[in-house]
């Protein structure tokens, strides 16, 4: 395992960052869909933007780095916030990643809200000038990276709707309730928590993880997404 990261809404990050670092976590992804208090609240249902930003500063301070901010841009909701979100990467050593709206809920109104990352990039470049492509912040990840001139951090684009990158994905996800998902979109999962609670030996757990890794290539967005689910229940 080369990388152990946590995806979080960041609400408790300020108080937990030090403990997570000491427990062996390498870095965090924090969801911030808007830098504006009211829009953030409308999207998340939480009046917590200040807390989350404090958590991001704390994560950088304790070395849970590189911190990555995840933002999903939605038409008519936070599209005008894209450049301001990108600007966080100028002053702070973090990566702001724009993730195309790619809902897992079959009732979602994709056409109404979808904004291609090409348009998000144009908005950022209209404000800050042409960005230069930069080295991948991570290997085998889905994002392509750029840098605003003079910025301390990077901008990433994860274009899951307009491009396809499952063939180079090496990610496993452990959900907040202890299940390993071989693909974010997979409805197949392996209950690691149940195994641990049953008193299984380390060898048995390692065996299960090895099996998941060996079968990882079988699970992609195209062939493992069958049942709709809410992304908010995944985390991990
Ligand atoms: S294999 Fe699954 S987790 Fe990996 S990039 Fe494709 S959809 Fe995402």
């Amino acid at each position: 395992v080369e990388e152990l990261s946590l995806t979080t809404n960041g609400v408790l990050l300020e108080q937990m960052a030090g403990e997570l670092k000491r427990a062996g976590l390498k870095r965090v992804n924090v969801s911030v869909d808007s830098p504006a208090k009211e829009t953030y609240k409308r999207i998340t249902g939480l009046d917590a933007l200040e807390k989350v930003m404090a958590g991001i500063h704390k994560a950088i301070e304790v070395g849970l780095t590189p911190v990555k901010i995840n933002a999903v841009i939605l038409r008519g909701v936070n599209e005008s916030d894209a450049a301001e979100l990108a600007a966080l990467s100028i002053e702070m050593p973090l990566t702001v990643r724009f993730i195309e709206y790619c809902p897992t809920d079959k009732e979602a109104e994709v056409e109404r809200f979808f904004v291609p990352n090409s348009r998000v990039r144009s908005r950022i470049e209209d404000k800050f000038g042409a960005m230069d492509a930069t080295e991948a912040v991570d290997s085998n990840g889905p994002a392509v990276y750029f840098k605003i001139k003079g910025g301390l951090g990077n901008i990433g684009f994860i274009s899951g709707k307009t491009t396809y990158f499952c063939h180079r994905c090496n990610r496993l996800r452990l959900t907040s309730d202890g299940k390993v998902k071989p693909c974010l979109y997979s409805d197949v999962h392996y209950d690691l928590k149940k195994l641990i609670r049953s008193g299984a030996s380390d060898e048995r757990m390692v065996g299960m993880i090895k099996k998941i890794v060996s079968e990882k290539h079988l699970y992609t967005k195209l062939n493992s997404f069958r049942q709709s689910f809410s992304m908010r229940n995944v985390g991990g």
Side-chain angles (χ1 to χ4, degrees), residues 6-214:
L6 175 77
T7 298
T8 170
N9 64 12
V11 173
L12 299 177
L13 190 55
E14 186 181 18
Q15 66 206 71
M16 296 190 70
E19 199 178 332
L20 287 167
K21 176 75 183 174
R22 285 191 293 280
L25 190 69
K26 201 166 164 216
R27 59 170 202 83
V28 283
N29 301 318
V30 187
S31 303
V32 183
D33 293 307
S34 172
K37 187 179 159 75
E38 286 308 315
T39 312
Y40 178 92
K41 189 173 162 188
R42 181 180 162 203
I43 294 170
T44 63
L46 293 172
D47 186 6
L49 182 60
E50 280 174 25
K51 261 191 194 174
V52 173
M53 292 310 296
I56 289 169
H57 283 281
K58 189 73 182 177
I60 293 172
E61 186 189 315
V62 304
L64 286 173
T65 52
V67 172
K68 295 179 187 172
I69 288 179
N70 289 341
V72 177
I73 297 298
L74 301 174
R75 192 194 303 162
V77 179
N78 60 346
E79 196 176 346
S80 58
D81 291 334
E84 204 183 322
L85 273 171
L88 294 173
S89 77
I90 300 176
E91 301 295 334
M92 296 165 77
L94 48 71
T95 298
V96 181
R97 301 192 304 181
F98 294 94
I99 302 174
E100 279 182 346
Y101 182 47
C102 219
T104 53
D105 174 356
K106 287 195 172 132
E107 304 300 314
E109 298 173 84
V110 185
E111 297 314 320
R112 181 171 156 208
F113 291 114
F114 179 69
V115 180
N117 263 341
S118 54
R119 204 157 88 206
V120 175
R121 182 175 171 181
S122 297
R123 278 186 173 265
I124 297 168
E125 294 193 319
D126 285 350
K127 174 109 179 169
F128 297 111
M131 293 186 287
D132 296 321
T134 187
E135 290 280 302
V137 177
D138 45 27
S139 58
N140 299 306
V144 288
Y145 291 100
F146 296 85
K147 196 180 249 309
I148 295 175
K149 280 196 177 54
L152 291 176
N154 298 300
I155 301 294
F157 294 103
I158 299 180
S159 309
K161 188 116 177 88
T162 55
T163 60
Y164 183 75
F165 39 71
C166 293
H167 53 287
R168 57 185 169 86
C169 171
N170 67 351
R171 299 298 201 267
L172 296 180
R173 183 171 295 249
L174 179 64
T175 65
S176 47
D177 58 354
K179 298 184 174 80
V180 179
K181 280 167 82 84
C183 163
L184 180 58
Y185 281 81
S186 167
D187 52 11
V188 173
H189 58 250
Y190 298 84
D191 200 336
L192 201 59
K193 180 175 156 189
K194 198 168 159 194
L195 197 64
I196 293 169
R197 295 283 159 91
S198 74
S201 64
D202 286 357
E203 288 71 30
R204 200 153 155 231
M205 285 189 283
V206 169
M208 181 195 262
I209 293 167
K210 281 187 170 168
K211 175 177 153 53
I212 302 168
V213 170
S214 71

